[in-house]
């Protein structure tokens, strides 16, 4: 494979792998708990942090981490107050995060052209220090899911019974949203803020059709994520297409195929 | 009479500023099998949620085995109303039942002891052979039995059931009530339902609930209790079931 001669390609494949691990594990919870919209909100508020990073001159990834964590805590509070119109509040936070980012970027001095890479991803140009950062976040995600696997499962399946059993349901819900926030940060480099949701949900959604347990669903979702990112990268190289968008289109094609195959089996 | 397992005095409950329950007084003795009937929206589910500590009372005293709810709610097993589970959730019967052990789990994963308790709970409800099945593959009746097994895996002293037969056919319901009667030899049961005829032939005592509780520690409901509860004359005919709910009466109720 001649494309593997390029350092940037090897890095890109590595990032694809790391991203697939995070989004296969956390995406599984996002899908079974039906918190796709909340996750979309968390991802878009990251733009505010990226803008702030540019404005104040620190690493935009750090700003993104900060903003997604704050928004995860905010969404967690909204989630717990069932009397509020949750989706409205989440939609507002989503837009405000983006708006802040746009204002900060406008106020920032100098050249800000690679902002597009945060919106739509640029897996081919991820700097080495960001790869290390992504690796650390991945390890944190794996460790937390390993530790609280049973608790997360119980809360996702039947929140009320988990509460009756004496589990601190609020704690696990917020912890999970924090993991969603970290996953989003991991994914921004690869596919960008706007496309995060697709890669977070498509592999687990396919895996869910063929799995009998959460563990299997996570494993299959990780493998599918690796296939989609690798195939997407290869196609984008072959046809000179934007990598993030190509990865998403490959994943979406896979999703449609999986649904068709499933339907055929059942008829 | 056994010892008191539940004592409730002057219980008032408000939800969003609206009084849902007022002045409820109730004593439940050990090994009672109490059926609480009443119209939908009459506060039955809220009442169970108060016992479970999910709803805080506005006023009044609630004690479980002599202690406040927070301290003793681990003695309660709860079978929720036909829970609308996501049928596509990838989880097996055994996983659902063993989840009842979460609060008592020591390490990161469940112990063999936890799985043994889950298996014996499944055995009780005759669902052990289906333990590797997916929840989404079960019939309504099988799912209900799994939910009872999950409540039993808590190893409760008191079992609370919310409309347990609302989603199953009557053929299944009879067998289900036989199961409850067996469980009643070991624990106290409280069951709420809006279906008087289904419940009345199996429970030991009946109460009516609509904002407040009408209870006389007996199997029979008098006409006043029923009419207070349902706020209108009810068509209550005691045929087809082995025990009368209403005392013999002249004329037809509800005409």
């Amino acid at each position: 494979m001649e494309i593997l001669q390029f350092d940037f390609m090897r890095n890109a494949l590595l990032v694809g792998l790391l991203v697939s691990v995070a989004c296969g594990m956390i995406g599984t919870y996002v899908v079974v708990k039906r918190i796709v919209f909340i996750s979309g909100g968390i991802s878009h508020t990251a733009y505010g942090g990226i803008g702030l990073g540019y404005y104040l001159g620190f690493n935009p990834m750090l700003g993104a981490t900060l903003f997604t964590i704050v928004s995860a805590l905010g969404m967690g509070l909204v989630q717990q107050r069932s009397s509020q119109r949750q989706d409205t509040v989440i939609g507002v936070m989503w837009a405000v995060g983006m708006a802040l980012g746009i204002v900060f970027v406008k106020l920032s001095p100098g050249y800000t052209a690679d902002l597009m890479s945060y919106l739509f991803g640029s897996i081919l140009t991820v700097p080495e220090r960001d790869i290390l950062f992504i690796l650390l976040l991945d390890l944190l995600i794996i460790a937390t899911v390993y530790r609280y696997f049973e608790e997360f499962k119980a809360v996702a399946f039947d929140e009320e019974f988990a509460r009756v059993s004496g589990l601190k349901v609020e704690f696990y819900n917020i912890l999970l949203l924090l993991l969603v926030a970290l996953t989003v940060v991991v994914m921004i480099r690869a596919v960008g803020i706007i496309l995060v949701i697709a890669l977070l949900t498509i592999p687990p959604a396919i895996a869910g059709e063929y799995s009998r347990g959460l563990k299997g669903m996570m494993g299959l979702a990780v493998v599918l994520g690796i296939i989609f990112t690798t195939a997407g990268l290869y196609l984008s190289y072959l046809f000179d297409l934007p990598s993030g968008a190509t990865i998403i289109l490959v994943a979406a094609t896979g999703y449609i195929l999986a649904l068709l195959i499933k339907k055929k089996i059942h008829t | 009479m056994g010892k008191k397992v539940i004592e409730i005095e002057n219980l008032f409950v408000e939800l969003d500023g609206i009084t849902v329950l007022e002045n409820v007084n109730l004593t439940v003795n050990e090994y009672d099998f109490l059926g609480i009937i009443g119209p939908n929206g009459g506060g039955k589910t809220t009442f169970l949620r108060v016992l479970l500590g999910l709803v805080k009372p506005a006023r009044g005293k609630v004690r479980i085995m002599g202690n406040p709810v927070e301290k003793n709610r681990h003695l309660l097993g709860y079978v929720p109303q036909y829970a609308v589970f996501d049928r596509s959730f990838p989880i097996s019967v055994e996983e659902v039942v063993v989840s009842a052990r979460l609060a008592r789990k020591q390490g990161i994963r469940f112990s063999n002891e936890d799985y043994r308790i889950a298996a014996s709970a499944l055995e009780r409800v005759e669902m052990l052979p289906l333990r590797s099945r997916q929840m989404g593959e079960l019939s309504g009746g099988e799912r209900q039995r799994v939910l009872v097994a999950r409540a039993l895996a808590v190893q409760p002293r008191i079992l609370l059931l919310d409309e347990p037969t609302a989603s199953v056919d009557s053929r299944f319901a009879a067998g289900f009530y036989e199961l409850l009667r067996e469980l009643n030899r070991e624990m106290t049961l409280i069951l709420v339902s809006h279906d008087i005829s289904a419940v009345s032939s199996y429970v030991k005592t009946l109460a009516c609930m609509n904002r407040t509780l009408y209870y006389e520690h007996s199997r029979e409901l008098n006409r006043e209790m029923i009419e207070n509860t349902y706020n209108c004359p009810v068509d209550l005919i005691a045929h087809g079931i082995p025990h009368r709910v209403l005392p013999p009466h002249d004329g037809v109720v509800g005409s």
Side-chain angles (χ1 to χ4, degrees), chain B residues 68-122:
Chain B
V69 172
E70 306 79 59
K71 206 169 169 202
N72 267 351
R73 70 175 178 189
H74 63 277
L75 300 172
L76 302 174
Y78 176 46
V79 182
Q81 192 167 13
Y82 174 56
V84 206
F85 294 118
D86 179 356
R87 292 181 72 93
S88 62
F89 197 107
I91 191 166
S92 71
V93 166
E94 184 178 48
E95 283 179 283
V96 169
V97 176
V98 82
S99 75
R101 308 295 308 163
L102 264 177
R104 271 162 256 192
K105 171 170 81 70
Q106 297 294 319
I108 293 178
R109 300 286 178 260
F110 291 110
S111 65
N112 291 337
E113 173 73 358
D114 290 326
Y115 281 106
R116 198 191 54 71
I117 291 166
S120 81
L122 279 167

Side-chain angles (χ1 to χ4, degrees), chain B residues 148-200:
Chain B
V148 172
R150 181 177 67 170
L152 292 178
V154 175
Q155 300 184 310
R157 302 283 299 275
I158 306 162
L159 196 59
L160 308 178
L161 301 108
D162 192 354
E163 305 272 6
T165 52
S167 65
V168 299
D169 56 46
S170 51
R171 190 170 46 88
F172 164 80
F176 186 76
Y177 283 115
E178 284 305 324
L179 168 68
L180 294 187
R181 197 181 259 174
E182 271 175 42
L183 293 175
N184 186 218
R185 292 197 194 119
E186 295 155 50
M187 60 192 81
T188 310
L189 264 61
I190 300 177
L191 184 155
V192 309
S193 177
H194 68 275
D195 186 357
I196 304 174
S197 59
V199 171
S200 52

Side-chain angles (χ1 to χ4, degrees), chain A residues 53-129:
Chain A
Y54 269 97
Y55 180 52
L56 297 178
F58 58 85
N59 186 348
M61 290 295 277
L62 215 59
T65 313
L66 193 75
F67 265 60
T68 52
I69 284 176
V70 170
S71 75
L73 293 174
M75 307 257 178
L77 288 180
V78 173
Q79 203 182 27
Q80 275 158 37
R81 280 169 224 270
S82 51
S83 56
Q84 294 274 5
R85 290 209 175 110
Q86 287 191 23
D87 54 345
T88 307
V89 180
I90 292 161
V92 169
M93 289 170 82
W94 176 316
V96 168
M98 286 298 276
L100 279 175
I102 293 165
V103 169
F104 282 138
V105 166
K106 178 71 187 167
L107 293 174
S108 304
Y111 186 62
T112 51
D114 71 339
L115 265 171
M116 287 293 276
S117 74
Y118 290 104
L119 283 179
F120 299 104
S122 70
I123 196 167
L124 294 172
T125 58
V126 182
E128 302 254 331
R129 56 159 192 188

Side-chain angles (χ1 to χ4, degrees), chain B:
Chain B
M1 275 210 185
K3 61 179 177 189
K4 295 169 182 167
V5 292
I6 291 178
E7 296 156 274
I8 295 166
E9 283 170 30
N10 303 318
L11 171 71
F12 285 73
V13 178
E14 290 175 11
L15 293 179
D16 295 326
I18 297 162
T19 304
V20 185
L21 290 175
E22 53 183 29
N23 201 24
V24 173
N25 291 282
L26 174 69
T27 308
V28 180
N29 295 309
E30 198 161 27
Y31 304 117
D32 273 359
F33 187 170
L34 168 66
I36 301 177
I37 58 167
N40 289 323
K44 302 188 301 292
T45 299
T46 304
F47 177 69
L48 291 187
R49 291 171 64 85
V50 169
L51 292 179
L52 291 163
L54 295 172
V55 173
K56 292 265 167 289
R59 271 203 279 152
K61 200 175 86 174
V62 179
R63 300 209 153 238
I64 296 168
M65 315 281 283
N67 279 312
V69 172
E70 306 79 59
K71 206 169 169 202
N72 267 351
R73 70 175 178 189
H74 63 277
L75 300 172
L76 302 174
Y78 176 46
V79 182
Q81 192 167 13
Y82 174 56
V84 206
F85 294 118
D86 179 356
R87 292 181 72 93
S88 62
F89 197 107
I91 191 166
S92 71
V93 166
E94 184 178 48
E95 283 179 283
V96 169
V97 176
V98 82
S99 75
R101 308 295 308 163
L102 264 177
R104 271 162 256 192
K105 171 170 81 70
Q106 297 294 319
I108 293 178
R109 300 286 178 260
F110 291 110
S111 65
N112 291 337
E113 173 73 358
D114 290 326
Y115 281 106
R116 198 191 54 71
I117 291 166
S120 81
L122 279 167
E123 180 101 69
R124 283 305 299 271
V125 301
E126 292 164 21
M127 287 292 292
L128 192 57
L130 298 185
R131 66 173 156 188
S132 320
R133 281 281 180 87
Q134 293 281 290
M135 271 307 266
E137 294 168 357
L138 301 183
S139 71
E142 289 168 337
R143 195 162 49 228
Q144 206 62 44
R145 280 178 181 260
V146 172
L147 295 184
V148 172
R150 181 177 67 170
L152 292 178
V154 175
Q155 300 184 310
R157 302 283 299 275
I158 306 162
L159 196 59
L160 308 178
L161 301 108
D162 192 354
E163 305 272 6
T165 52
S167 65
V168 299
D169 56 46
S170 51
R171 190 170 46 88
F172 164 80
F176 186 76
Y177 283 115
E178 284 305 324
L179 168 68
L180 294 187
R181 197 181 259 174
E182 271 175 42
L183 293 175
N184 186 218
R185 292 197 194 119
E186 295 155 50
M187 60 192 81
T188 310
L189 264 61
I190 300 177
L191 184 155
V192 309
S193 177
H194 68 275
D195 186 357
I196 304 174
S197 59
V199 171
S200 52
S201 42
Y202 296 95
V203 299
K204 287 181 187 160
T205 52
L206 266 175
C208 292
M209 178 170 268
N210 191 6
R211 268 171 72 105
T212 191
L213 190 79
Y214 305 91
Y215 186 41
E216 294 178 351
H217 287 273
S218 84
R219 264 289 280 281
E220 292 200 342
L221 300 172
N222 62 46
R223 189 160 160 187
E224 193 190 345
M225 282 162 76
I226 301 266
E227 292 192 357
N228 274 332
T229 304
Y230 285 89
N231 266 330
C232 61
V234 186
D235 190 16
L236 240 191
I237 302 164
H239 61 73
I241 49 172
H243 311 276
R244 289 192 82 90
V245 177
L246 288 173
H249 51 77
D250 309 321
V252 180
V253 180
S255 61

